[in-house]
Each structure stands twice: as C-alpha cells, then as structure tokens.
Amino acid sequence: MGLGSKSQLLSKIATNDKHGENSPYFDGWKAYDKDPFHPTKNPQGIIQMGLAENQLCFDLVEEWIRNNPKASICTPEGVNQFRDVAIFQDYHGLPEFRNAVARFMSKIRGGRVTFDPDRILMSGGATGANELIMFCLADPGDAFLVPTPYYPAFNRDLSWRTGIQIIPFHTDSSNNFKITREALEAAYNKAQQENINVKGLIITNPSNPLGCTVDTETLKSLVSFINEKSIHLVCDEIYSATVFSSPSFVSVSEVIQEMECNRDLIHIVYSLSKDMGFPGFRVGIVYSYNDGVVSCGRKMSSFGLVSSQTQHLLAAMLSDEKFMGKYLAESSRRLGKRFNIFTEGVEKVGITCLPSNAGLFCWMNLRSLLKEKTFEGEMQLWRVIINDVKLNVSPGSSFHCVEPGWFRVCFANMDEETVEIALKRIREFVGKETEKPVKVKRWQRNLRLSFSSRRFDETVMSPHGIMSPHSPIPHSPLVKAT
Amino acid sequence: MKMRLLSRKATCNTHGQDSSYFLGWQEYEKNPYDEVLNPKGIIQMGLAENQLSFDFLESWLAKNPDVAAFKRDGKSIFPELALFQDYHGLPAFKKALVDFMAEIRGNKVTFDPNHIVLTAGATSANETLMFCLAEPGEAFLLPTPYYPGFDRDLKWRPGVEIVPIQCTSSNNFQITEAALQQAYQEAEKRNLRVKGVLVTNPSNPLGTTMSRNELNLLIDFISDKDMHLISDEIYSGTVFSSPGFVSVMEILNENNSLKDQVWDRVHVVYSLSKDLGLPGFRVGAIYSNNDTVIDAARKMSSFGVVSSQTQYLLSAMLSDKKFTRNYITQNQKRLKRRQRMLISGLQKAGISCLESNAGLFCWVDMRHLLQSNTFEAEMELWKKIVYDVRLNISPGSSCHCTEPGWFRVCFANMSEQTLELAMKRLKAFVVELTANGCSQSRTEFSSWNSKRKSLPKWVFRLSSRDREQEEP
C-alpha cells in the first residue's frame, strides 16, 4: 500500500491548479515585479494599478499610534499587558476586540444597525473568512452562485480546499452591471435541472471590481429570493467604509430589519484590509445570524485566529469613537477626491468608467480601444497597456466579465504625483491610439492638484520596500490580486 | 427532500470538543482558583502554557523601544507593515526564526528560510500538512498517548483518519517496531491507505524526547513503506535535562544514503507558543525540503498568514542572538526547577511519574489510586480530582492512552505558591483516599456542593458563557 509514483506523494489539492495562481493574468504582476515604477530610481517603470490597497490615510493612523502608546503591548506604557495578551489564544477573541469591531461595523452603517459581539468570529483575513463560511455552509460538491464580474481569488477561497463549485451568473453593461432577478433565477434553475445542490449566493457589496454599492431594491430582491429557496446569502462587505459618494452604503443587515426573512440564512464577511488599509494584520471577520454557524465557525477559527497583539492594538483604536469618526469621514473624502482626479483625468481623453461610488478602483471602459471586440482583443490591449503604456491594470476577463474591454484600475495605492504620471501616460496612449488631438471634455472641475510634500517613501511606493529589496523569492501574485 | 441547512462538518462532532479534556476546562471556568478572591477554586493544571519567562521578553522590550513604535532606524515603517500581506513572510522574520530553530538544536542542523512556511499557529500547520499530503479518508499513524487537539486538526476538515500506534508503560511509552507494524496492519484491515506517521518530539503528553533509536526506527519505517513523516517539534526549546533533544533533521543529516531516500518526505512543524510562551500571537511554521509541499503549503497559508505586526516584533527579538541564547538557557533552567517541584510534591503524595526531560507537564502515574484497572475508574478518579481536590488535570484517556490511570499535569502555567498548594491538596486527598476508601470521597463531594452554594455569585458570573480554551 505504498505511495508508488511521485504524483501520489501529495494530495490532489496540493497538486491541482485550483489555487488559481497559474492563471495567465499574473503576467501583469510578473511584468511589474521585473520593472516596478519608482519616482527617482525607475521613473519609466510599470505603475502598479492592479492592487486594491488603501494607502491614503496612514498619516492619521500613525498619529493615533504615537498618541496612544498603551495600545501597544511593547511600549513602556503598555508592556504591563504583555503577558496577558501573549498567552491569550481563546478563539472567542479578546472581548474588547469583539466589542470594538461590532461597534465599528455599526458606525460604518450609520448606527442604523447594531451587531452582537458574540456573533463575531475571527479568521485569517477575508480570505480565511470566505473559506471558513463555505466550510460551515456547504459540503464538497455543493454549489454557490456568484454574480460576475467577481474577485478572481474567490475561486481559491470558496472552492480550493472546500470542494465547493462556483456557479457564476452574469451581469453586463446594459444596466450598469446590476444583478437581476432573472439572471439569478435562470442560473439557479439550470443548476437544479443539472442536479447540482445550490447552497447559497455570495455577493460583494460594495462590489469588487465594479466599485458600486448594491441598491436597496436589489438587496431586498436577493433576500427574498434566498428566503424562498431556503439557501444562504453571504455578503462580503469588506469595502463598506470605502464609499465616497451617494448613494450611501446599505448593508444586508439593514435590509433584513425591514423584511420577513429567515435569519439563519444571513452571513456577513468583513475585514480591515480595505477600509483601514491593514491587509498585513490579517483581520478577517465572519458575522452570522445563524447560531449553528457561530458555534461551528468559532471552533474553525482556530485555524486562523487574529494575533492577540493585533487584536489588542485594534481594540484600542476602533473603540476610540472620536478618532474613528474622524477617520471614516476623512478617508471617504480623500477617496472621493482621488476618484475624481482620476476619472476626470481619463475623461479628458474620452475614457469613461462605470459610474461608481465606492471601492479603491474604477471599472474602466476601454471597449473603443479594442482592435477586435473579443477576449483575445482584450488580452492584446492589456499587453499593450502593460508593456507600452507601463501600467499594470486588471483585465475584465480575469474577473469573469462576459463583455470584453473592461478593466479594473486601482487608484488608492499610490501618491498623487504617481496618479498624475499614470494619467499622463494614459493621455499619451489614447492620443496615439485615436489619432485625434486630445479633446478637452465639456465640463471640467477645477482640478486642484495639491502637490503634497514629496514623501517618496520606498515603503509606500513599492511592495518590496525595505523588507525584501532583492528577494529572490517571487512575490505571490495572488497576494496582490485583491 | 428537505436540504440540510449547514454542512456536515458544521454539525458533526469531529472537532473533538466534547471530550473530557475540554470538559475539565469548563469546570475550571466555572470555579477558577484565585489566590485572593477564590482560594478554594479549581487550580488549572490542564493548560500547557509556559508562563515562566515573560520577564525576559518584557525587559527586552524595554531595551528596544523602536520596535514598539513601528520604527526602524528612527523612521516609521507602519504603512509598510500594515500593507505587508505576502504569504512568503517577512524575510527578516523567517531568517530569525530558522536561526532560532538551529540554536535550539545546538546548531547541529541549519534551516533554509526559503523552505519555511509561516502559519497561524501549529494548529494551522498540522491541518495544512494534512491538506497537502492526504486525501479525505486516508490515514496517518500517531503514537499514543497524543495531544487531543490532533483529532480536530487532522480529522475535521481534511477528513484524515488517525490510526494509533499503541505505546505502553512497559517500555516507558517508546515507539517499537512491533507497535508500528501492528498499527499499519490495523489500517490495512480497515481499508485505510496510510500516508504517513505524525509524531510529537518532545512528546505531548509524555514530556520526553525521542531516542535516536526511535527516530531511526521511524525513518526506516517510512522509507520502507514510502510514506511521510511529520515531526511536530513545538516543544523543542523546552528540553531541560539529558538526554538532549535530537531532531529528526539531525538524523537525516547524519545518514546520507537514507537521506536521499526520504529527504522529501520528512517535514517539521514548529511554533513559538510553547518555547517562547506566545500562543496568542499565532506563530506556527512548516519546514520541509520538499519544494512541492512548501509551494502548496505556502499558498494554503493564505488562509492563516501571521500578522505582519507580530512578524516584525519577533524578527527584531529573535535576531538578537545574545537575547535568544540567554533566553533559551534561562528558560530551560526555570522549567527544570519547576518540574522538580512538581515531582517532589507528587512524591510526597506517594505518586510517581514518567521520567521526563522536556515539556511543560509531567505524565503522572495514578494507576494505584484506581478502583479498578478500567477507564471508568479513571473517569471516577478524574472527577474526584476535579471536584474534590479541585485540580484540573488531563485524563490519559483524552490523550488516547491505552492504559488507564495516567494523567497529564502541567507545571509551567502558575506561580510557585499555587503549585505548592496544588501539591498539598493532592497529598491530603491521597492520604484520605488510601486511609478511608470510597465513602470518604463521596462525603467530600457533597460537602463541596454545599460549600459551592456559599460562594459569591460573581464567581459564577465570571464564566457564564463557554470559554473553551484553545490549545492545551
């Protein structure tokens, strides 16, 4: 009963491709890694616009940390807590952490809903949270419906180790990529006919990659659908505090307050990676209205607990109501400003983006630049954008979009000067492509380009930074494909 | 057909939390000892935590203020850290960690930082290895007694079966060739395909290091059967007396021909939860020479990456070689002293334990106190110890021991005074038990019950909810 051939040495999961990291889309990352932009050292390099990171408000957080030494267990002011925190491995999490997260989530929702700290489960980032909730809700072979376009790593998070099938159903530009009941029903019915056991629906609200919040009517429609079919609804709300203009964010937690619904079917995934810009701290949250899920999920969180050191720091920060209020307002304002600068900048050359009000990116319409209106055409254009325009953006096909020509372009992971350079490159490229003089759009807001002090921190500009300047280890593309 | 709402994993018992092991903790939670506020409460001796050496860590922190302020060379690196989510891990941290691991092994082994994968604790490391090495329904062999959490970590989500390698007190619970073969045949009988062997070295719950003999036996076995060997070495830094610690990696290094055959099938699990006493920080690691395993495990570590804040703190601390050398030595001295205290206290109560040289606990022999040589009698005795003596210790059956009467008793998670008190209580109990037999204990139990009513209400409010502990 030996292992025989080499291929049997490891499990199928370990040797298949379902982690998704061998996808051709990571060519963009690889190209960036080989030739990363730096304002002084490599000004002709590729600008990273494929990374949904929020780098706009670190100054506020740094100031808070300076003023609150007790939040750290390493400072003289906080070290008296060191041992208690260091031994704390209870999977319930530090009570003050759970309380702070519950209050923060409520604050983001304008206080219109309150969260029970006892229903908060920790996980290894939203990555861990999405996997965990799947393990709780579905068996191998079961399926979850997901509207396209969707975050590429869902394939890994929802199905790699869980054995669950993703059934995509489509949205398109005919109605601004809104989820329709028709598309959902059709996908559900088709699965039923094929004897596939659909356990639920997962949506991201606000959406990645669209950058739009889901409207109340659609949410209600989704809730009534899942209720009818007695399947689960998982709402990944990790971008909830990145909303910068109206309409404001409406959470599933609010919607269920106003309608008849079996709450055992409702679950929320949250994280601090986008709203606060802390992906490195691995703070993932599962919030479930289902007691069985809370009980089982809590035990499962053993496999991805948040470091107690981090829980302690964030408990202090998130419960500083005054600071968090100020942070949320300012973050929103800065994101909005950045969004305007960027979208207005590309509008000058006739490029439009999907009207959006949230997220760290825009969903850019480059259909007019395609040589052919196919996915091959999209890939062609994409390679040109990477190699000639020197911008790493994410092609819509990587998000399983059914219409070629859409690209997700991130704008919150760089400083204003770099945005300007990116815009300049886009203008030049489009100018060449369209062989027309660059048109100035009819209306033009007064672009006050504030040249903030040239804080060209290597740390902010390049993920390599000081940590691993010449690391021979290739950086995981998937790590950045968020 | 009404569809089951939750998954099978969500509704089964494979998480193992209904075992007696965890029930003892629940009792502790209801009535926890406190020197001042609850001096008659239950003393926690079921928690393998190392609380003896925090002062070293705290004084290091006092001398290294930059780390606390997220600074390097006076400059803030907060944004960089906050953004760093690369599952390859902080290079400086991995380097410091492998150096620390080498130091613990007397530098007889060196580790390549490119072959280490960081995980959210050893809990996650062991589960991840299962996902990488076995299909659901396949099996791993584990020597008994073993850490109860393995039932959850190996079986629950990866669906791997555990087939025990029965070890007995006849040879101090060492692994024998016969036991290995018997386990293998048992698996065959059950139609289970065995993918490997998982051992803990030093052992939990035995507190002993594995002999070279056992290690060679294991390597021969996995070589012959074409399977994996996982060596969970999370207690490697807690070895306080001879014979010293021999890692499976050391054996491999010594024997080149053997090494060629099995080098890609031997994997080490590590963690800072026991050696440094930092279970809350969730720092685990998988080390393997097998590139495919490392590659797969690294991708899976996405589900449980170590917080960059914690990696940064520990990279600074562990890179301070003067500090780590001193810490390792002093920590071991303190553990040794504490173990001696426990042993001597037990001796005074006429209780002996397995001779041990490592770990945060002793494997205590209470067979002579059993009413009969059965697990029912072990449970009876355990209940008396929890409720009457008011000590939470772990019964051997929860560790899948084949012989009734053995208990794991921890010594590093309390003050010296508390340990002394525990030993006093135990002695008193044994004296009464052996003098008066059963009936006395029943009286004690009912008198505890009436005392319980006299406890202030806050004691019960303290843990009105489940607060099951994580890793024992």
Side-chain angles (χ1 to χ4, degrees), chain B residues 154-320:
Chain B
L154 275 52
K155 290 158 96 166
W156 194 16
R157 304 190 310 181
V160 172
E161 285 297 328
I162 295 179
V163 177
I165 302 166
Q166 312 288 18
C167 301
T168 65
S169 58
S170 61
N171 71 339
N172 291 330
F173 296 94
Q174 291 190 72
I175 299 175
T176 63
E177 168 94 46
L180 273 169
Q181 294 295 349
Q182 195 173 13
Y184 190 78
Q185 279 152 30
E186 169 69 29
E188 272 190 319
K189 251 190 265 158
R190 289 166 60 182
N191 262 321
L192 295 170
R193 183 192 183 124
V194 181
K195 290 311 271 287
V197 181
L198 165 63
V199 300
T200 309
N201 175 27
S203 162
N204 174 13
L206 303 176
T208 52
T209 48
M210 238 177 217
S211 64
R212 280 173 177 278
N213 220 21
E214 286 170 283
L215 287 167
N216 278 311
L217 197 61
L218 285 167
I219 292 181
D220 284 339
F221 182 77
I222 62 144
S223 171
D224 178 52
K225 302 272 191 265
D226 265 342
M227 55 171 74
H228 295 275
L229 175 60
I230 300 173
S231 180
D232 181 332
E233 301 187 350
I234 68 173
Y235 289 96
S236 48
T238 67
V239 180
F240 47 75
S241 60
S242 67
F245 173 61
V246 179
S247 164
V248 70
M249 286 302 180
E250 206 183 315
I251 303 284
L252 279 188
N253 275 353
E254 287 167 2
N255 187 332
N256 274 321
S257 66
L258 206 52
K259 183 178 184 175
D260 286 338
Q261 285 169 46
V262 299
W263 71 274
D264 62 346
R265 290 191 260 124
V266 176
H267 324 283
V268 169
V269 166
Y270 189 55
S271 154
L272 297 180
S273 300
K274 310 297 176 182
D275 290 350
L276 281 187
L278 306 173
F281 289 1
R282 312 318 298 144
V283 180
I286 295 171
Y287 188 89
S288 175
N289 290 309
N290 186 323
D291 284 333
T292 319
V293 170
I294 288 298
D295 203 50
R298 189 180 284 134
K299 292 179 169 72
M300 286 190 195
S301 69
S302 305
F303 302 110
V305 175
V306 178
S307 169
S308 58
Q309 178 193 20
T310 301
Q311 289 190 53
Y312 179 61
L313 165 65
L314 294 173
S315 75
M317 195 182 273
L318 296 182
S319 310
D320 185 341

Side-chain angles (χ1 to χ4, degrees), chain A residues 26-49 383-393 418 421 425 461-464 469-471 475 480:
Chain A
F26 297 111
D27 291 348
W29 301 104
K30 294 175 190 154
Y32 168 79
D33 276 350
K34 288 195 200 130
D35 182 20
F37 170 82
H38 186 277
T40 52
K41 295 186 187 157
N42 190 19
Q44 304 305 324
I46 298 178
I47 297 176
Q48 176 63 283
M49 303 192 86
R383 294 212 169 88
V384 167
I385 296 176
I386 295 174
N387 297 317
D388 300 352
V389 193
K390 305 288 207 99
L391 303 175
N392 181 33
V393 299
T418 310
I421 295 171
R425 290 183 186 179
M461 298 291 269
S462 159
H464 297 266
H470 303 292
S471 171
H475 285 261
K480 300 166 201 165

Side-chain angles (χ1 to χ4, degrees), chain A residues 29 33 48 50-52 408 463 475-482, chain B residues 85:
Chain A
W29 301 104
D33 276 350
Q48 176 63 283
L51 196 48
R408 189 192 76 171
H475 285 261
S476 157
L478 205 64
V479 158
K480 300 166 201 165
T482 47
Chain B
Q85 59 175 326

